[in-house]
Amino acid sequence: IEAGMAIWVSMYQGERMYASPDAPQEIVSQVPTPEIMREGFGRSPGGFTGQEQLFHKWHGYAVIPLGAIGEGVGFVAYLSEPEPE
């Protein structure tokens, strides 16, 4: 964070994302899309990672299912690349 890195965490239930009110809408609505989630879970039901360029920065994300909470529920953690020094 001190290096200009941003961290966001959202929850999902099915294809719906739930994010904190201060989360950038561009991230919540774009990464990952429902299509990316279906494809990712098709390859790796235990979770998957990806990356997307938003705000002229690369953002990595991890999608982790939380079956103990409920069917189709989990979280998505986003991490932006740090600013160059």
Side-chain angles (χ1 to χ4, degrees), residues 55-78:
F55 307 117
H56 308 290
K57 293 175 76 170
W58 282 101
H59 289 72
Y61 60 89
V63 180
I64 310 296
L66 299 172
I69 293 176
E71 183 70 30
V73 176
F75 71 86
V76 181
Y78 312 93

mmCIF file of all heavy atoms in Angstrom, residues 55-78:
data_model
loop_
_atom_site.group_PDB
_atom_site.id
_atom_site.type_symbol
_atom_site.label_atom_id
_atom_site.label_comp_id
_atom_site.label_asym_id
_atom_site.label_seq_id
_atom_site.Cartn_x
_atom_site.Cartn_y
_atom_site.Cartn_z
ATOM 1 N N PHE A 55 -7.541 1.241 -15.195
ATOM 2 C CA PHE A 55 -6.923 2.490 -14.725
ATOM 3 C C PHE A 55 -5.455 2.576 -15.149
ATOM 4 O O PHE A 55 -4.619 3.089 -14.426
ATOM 5 C CB PHE A 55 -6.995 2.622 -13.194
ATOM 6 C CG PHE A 55 -8.352 2.467 -12.614
ATOM 7 C CD1 PHE A 55 -8.626 1.433 -11.742
ATOM 8 C CD2 PHE A 55 -9.374 3.344 -12.931
ATOM 9 C CE1 PHE A 55 -9.873 1.279 -11.185
ATOM 10 C CE2 PHE A 55 -10.630 3.198 -12.374
ATOM 11 C CZ PHE A 55 -10.878 2.161 -11.505
ATOM 12 N N HIS A 56 -5.113 2.026 -16.287
ATOM 13 C CA HIS A 56 -3.740 2.033 -16.809
ATOM 14 C C HIS A 56 -2.768 1.275 -15.913
ATOM 15 O O HIS A 56 -1.573 1.539 -15.935
ATOM 16 C CB HIS A 56 -3.246 3.462 -17.040
ATOM 17 C CG HIS A 56 -4.183 4.279 -17.868
ATOM 18 N ND1 HIS A 56 -4.370 4.045 -19.206
ATOM 19 C CD2 HIS A 56 -5.011 5.291 -17.536
ATOM 20 C CE1 HIS A 56 -5.271 4.900 -19.670
ATOM 21 N NE2 HIS A 56 -5.681 5.654 -18.684
ATOM 22 N N LYS A 57 -3.271 0.358 -15.099
ATOM 23 C CA LYS A 57 -2.436 -0.469 -14.224
ATOM 24 C C LYS A 57 -2.916 -1.912 -14.315
ATOM 25 O O LYS A 57 -4.089 -2.170 -14.532
ATOM 26 C CB LYS A 57 -2.570 -0.027 -12.758
ATOM 27 C CG LYS A 57 -2.027 1.330 -12.457
ATOM 28 C CD LYS A 57 -2.321 1.716 -11.027
ATOM 29 C CE LYS A 57 -1.395 0.983 -10.098
ATOM 30 N NZ LYS A 57 -1.466 1.488 -8.722
ATOM 31 N N TRP A 58 -1.998 -2.835 -14.135
ATOM 32 C CA TRP A 58 -2.378 -4.238 -14.080
ATOM 33 C C TRP A 58 -2.896 -4.567 -12.693
ATOM 34 O O TRP A 58 -2.341 -4.139 -11.688
ATOM 35 C CB TRP A 58 -1.197 -5.140 -14.431
ATOM 36 C CG TRP A 58 -0.968 -5.180 -15.892
ATOM 37 C CD1 TRP A 58 -0.027 -4.499 -16.599
ATOM 38 C CD2 TRP A 58 -1.736 -5.913 -16.853
ATOM 39 N NE1 TRP A 58 -0.159 -4.758 -17.942
ATOM 40 C CE2 TRP A 58 -1.195 -5.625 -18.125
ATOM 41 C CE3 TRP A 58 -2.827 -6.771 -16.774
ATOM 42 C CZ2 TRP A 58 -1.703 -6.174 -19.298
ATOM 43 C CZ3 TRP A 58 -3.335 -7.320 -17.938
ATOM 44 C CH2 TRP A 58 -2.765 -7.022 -19.177
ATOM 45 N N HIS A 59 -3.981 -5.311 -12.648
ATOM 46 C CA HIS A 59 -4.573 -5.793 -11.407
ATOM 47 C C HIS A 59 -4.612 -7.315 -11.480
ATOM 48 O O HIS A 59 -5.152 -7.880 -12.425
ATOM 49 C CB HIS A 59 -5.997 -5.265 -11.218
ATOM 50 C CG HIS A 59 -6.062 -3.815 -10.908
ATOM 51 N ND1 HIS A 59 -5.795 -2.833 -11.820
ATOM 52 C CD2 HIS A 59 -6.351 -3.184 -9.754
ATOM 53 C CE1 HIS A 59 -5.927 -1.658 -11.251
ATOM 54 N NE2 HIS A 59 -6.277 -1.841 -9.996
ATOM 55 N N GLY A 60 -4.044 -7.955 -10.497
ATOM 56 C CA GLY A 60 -4.174 -9.396 -10.355
ATOM 57 C C GLY A 60 -5.347 -9.679 -9.442
ATOM 58 O O GLY A 60 -5.706 -8.855 -8.599
ATOM 59 N N TYR A 61 -5.974 -10.817 -9.611
ATOM 60 C CA TYR A 61 -7.077 -11.181 -8.731
ATOM 61 C C TYR A 61 -7.060 -12.681 -8.470
ATOM 62 O O TYR A 61 -6.532 -13.468 -9.253
ATOM 63 C CB TYR A 61 -8.431 -10.733 -9.285
ATOM 64 C CG TYR A 61 -8.802 -11.313 -10.626
ATOM 65 C CD1 TYR A 61 -9.480 -12.523 -10.726
ATOM 66 C CD2 TYR A 61 -8.476 -10.650 -11.805
ATOM 67 C CE1 TYR A 61 -9.818 -13.051 -11.956
ATOM 68 C CE2 TYR A 61 -8.810 -11.171 -13.034
ATOM 69 C CZ TYR A 61 -9.478 -12.372 -13.107
ATOM 70 O OH TYR A 61 -9.815 -12.897 -14.330
ATOM 71 N N ALA A 62 -7.625 -13.050 -7.328
ATOM 72 C CA ALA A 62 -7.798 -14.448 -6.955
ATOM 73 C C ALA A 62 -9.262 -14.645 -6.592
ATOM 74 O O ALA A 62 -9.829 -13.832 -5.857
ATOM 75 C CB ALA A 62 -6.914 -14.803 -5.763
ATOM 76 N N VAL A 63 -9.867 -15.682 -7.129
ATOM 77 C CA VAL A 63 -11.261 -16.020 -6.842
ATOM 78 C C VAL A 63 -11.241 -17.299 -6.013
ATOM 79 O O VAL A 63 -10.741 -18.325 -6.460
ATOM 80 C CB VAL A 63 -12.067 -16.229 -8.144
ATOM 81 C CG1 VAL A 63 -13.509 -16.570 -7.828
ATOM 82 C CG2 VAL A 63 -11.978 -14.995 -9.033
ATOM 83 N N ILE A 64 -11.767 -17.195 -4.790
ATOM 84 C CA ILE A 64 -11.707 -18.308 -3.845
ATOM 85 C C ILE A 64 -13.122 -18.668 -3.385
ATOM 86 O O ILE A 64 -13.805 -17.845 -2.774
ATOM 87 C CB ILE A 64 -10.873 -17.931 -2.600
ATOM 88 C CG1 ILE A 64 -9.523 -17.343 -2.993
ATOM 89 C CG2 ILE A 64 -10.740 -19.105 -1.651
ATOM 90 C CD1 ILE A 64 -8.605 -18.282 -3.735
ATOM 91 N N PRO A 65 -13.582 -19.895 -3.682
ATOM 92 C CA PRO A 65 -14.911 -20.302 -3.211
ATOM 93 C C PRO A 65 -14.885 -20.586 -1.705
ATOM 94 O O PRO A 65 -13.874 -21.030 -1.164
ATOM 95 C CB PRO A 65 -15.202 -21.569 -4.006
ATOM 96 C CG PRO A 65 -13.867 -22.104 -4.378
ATOM 97 C CD PRO A 65 -12.936 -20.929 -4.480
ATOM 98 N N LEU A 66 -15.989 -20.287 -1.040
ATOM 99 C CA LEU A 66 -16.124 -20.529 0.399
ATOM 100 C C LEU A 66 -17.349 -21.410 0.628
ATOM 101 O O LEU A 66 -18.368 -20.971 1.146
ATOM 102 C CB LEU A 66 -16.263 -19.198 1.145
ATOM 103 C CG LEU A 66 -15.084 -18.244 1.007
ATOM 104 C CD1 LEU A 66 -15.409 -16.895 1.610
ATOM 105 C CD2 LEU A 66 -13.841 -18.843 1.635
ATOM 106 N N GLY A 67 -17.237 -22.657 0.222
ATOM 107 C CA GLY A 67 -18.353 -23.595 0.317
ATOM 108 C C GLY A 67 -18.892 -23.775 1.722
ATOM 109 O O GLY A 67 -20.056 -24.113 1.902
ATOM 110 N N ALA A 68 -18.060 -23.539 2.747
ATOM 111 C CA ALA A 68 -18.527 -23.680 4.128
ATOM 112 C C ALA A 68 -19.560 -22.616 4.478
ATOM 113 O O ALA A 68 -20.365 -22.804 5.387
ATOM 114 C CB ALA A 68 -17.341 -23.593 5.092
ATOM 115 N N ILE A 69 -19.557 -21.490 3.758
ATOM 116 C CA ILE A 69 -20.527 -20.418 4.005
ATOM 117 C C ILE A 69 -21.818 -20.687 3.240
ATOM 118 O O ILE A 69 -22.909 -20.439 3.739
ATOM 119 C CB ILE A 69 -19.940 -19.049 3.609
ATOM 120 C CG1 ILE A 69 -18.782 -18.702 4.541
ATOM 121 C CG2 ILE A 69 -21.000 -17.964 3.625
ATOM 122 C CD1 ILE A 69 -18.063 -17.432 4.197
ATOM 123 N N GLY A 70 -21.681 -21.162 2.012
ATOM 124 C CA GLY A 70 -22.867 -21.438 1.210
ATOM 125 C C GLY A 70 -22.494 -21.799 -0.214
ATOM 126 O O GLY A 70 -21.387 -21.534 -0.673
ATOM 127 N N GLU A 71 -23.416 -22.402 -0.907
ATOM 128 C CA GLU A 71 -23.223 -22.792 -2.306
ATOM 129 C C GLU A 71 -23.050 -21.557 -3.177
ATOM 130 O O GLU A 71 -23.851 -20.621 -3.096
ATOM 131 C CB GLU A 71 -24.431 -23.602 -2.784
ATOM 132 C CG GLU A 71 -24.313 -24.117 -4.203
ATOM 133 C CD GLU A 71 -23.276 -25.204 -4.364
ATOM 134 O OE1 GLU A 71 -23.045 -25.951 -3.386
ATOM 135 O OE2 GLU A 71 -22.711 -25.326 -5.462
ATOM 136 N N GLY A 72 -22.015 -21.531 -3.990
ATOM 137 C CA GLY A 72 -21.793 -20.415 -4.912
ATOM 138 C C GLY A 72 -21.339 -19.136 -4.249
ATOM 139 O O GLY A 72 -21.478 -18.061 -4.820
ATOM 140 N N VAL A 73 -20.777 -19.239 -3.047
ATOM 141 C CA VAL A 73 -20.328 -18.060 -2.302
ATOM 142 C C VAL A 73 -18.810 -18.087 -2.200
ATOM 143 O O VAL A 73 -18.200 -19.142 -2.049
ATOM 144 C CB VAL A 73 -20.941 -18.039 -0.883
ATOM 145 C CG1 VAL A 73 -20.397 -16.880 -0.061
ATOM 146 C CG2 VAL A 73 -22.448 -17.984 -0.963
ATOM 147 N N GLY A 74 -18.192 -16.916 -2.273
ATOM 148 C CA GLY A 74 -16.752 -16.840 -2.116
ATOM 149 C C GLY A 74 -16.288 -15.404 -2.125
ATOM 150 O O GLY A 74 -17.085 -14.480 -2.004
ATOM 151 N N PHE A 75 -14.979 -15.227 -2.256
ATOM 152 C CA PHE A 75 -14.472 -13.867 -2.321
ATOM 153 C C PHE A 75 -13.501 -13.714 -3.473
ATOM 154 O O PHE A 75 -12.945 -14.675 -3.994
ATOM 155 C CB PHE A 75 -13.859 -13.417 -0.995
ATOM 156 C CG PHE A 75 -12.552 -14.066 -0.635
ATOM 157 C CD1 PHE A 75 -11.346 -13.555 -1.102
ATOM 158 C CD2 PHE A 75 -12.522 -15.152 0.209
ATOM 159 C CE1 PHE A 75 -10.143 -14.139 -0.755
ATOM 160 C CE2 PHE A 75 -11.314 -15.747 0.563
ATOM 161 C CZ PHE A 75 -10.123 -15.236 0.080
ATOM 162 N N VAL A 76 -13.337 -12.475 -3.874
ATOM 163 C CA VAL A 76 -12.380 -12.094 -4.914
ATOM 164 C C VAL A 76 -11.476 -11.051 -4.301
ATOM 165 O O VAL A 76 -11.944 -10.033 -3.775
ATOM 166 C CB VAL A 76 -13.092 -11.490 -6.158
ATOM 167 C CG1 VAL A 76 -12.067 -11.137 -7.223
ATOM 168 C CG2 VAL A 76 -14.128 -12.448 -6.700
ATOM 169 N N ALA A 77 -10.186 -11.307 -4.311
ATOM 170 C CA ALA A 77 -9.195 -10.341 -3.819
ATOM 171 C C ALA A 77 -8.475 -9.763 -5.021
ATOM 172 O O ALA A 77 -8.052 -10.496 -5.918
ATOM 173 C CB ALA A 77 -8.207 -11.046 -2.886
ATOM 174 N N TYR A 78 -8.352 -8.447 -5.064
ATOM 175 C CA TYR A 78 -7.700 -7.730 -6.151
ATOM 176 C C TYR A 78 -6.457 -7.052 -5.603
ATOM 177 O O TYR A 78 -6.488 -6.493 -4.513
ATOM 178 C CB TYR A 78 -8.599 -6.625 -6.706
ATOM 179 C CG TYR A 78 -10.003 -7.016 -7.010
ATOM 180 C CD1 TYR A 78 -11.002 -6.859 -6.064
ATOM 181 C CD2 TYR A 78 -10.344 -7.529 -8.251
ATOM 182 C CE1 TYR A 78 -12.309 -7.201 -6.328
ATOM 183 C CE2 TYR A 78 -11.658 -7.884 -8.529
ATOM 184 C CZ TYR A 78 -12.622 -7.709 -7.553
ATOM 185 O OH TYR A 78 -13.918 -8.048 -7.819
#
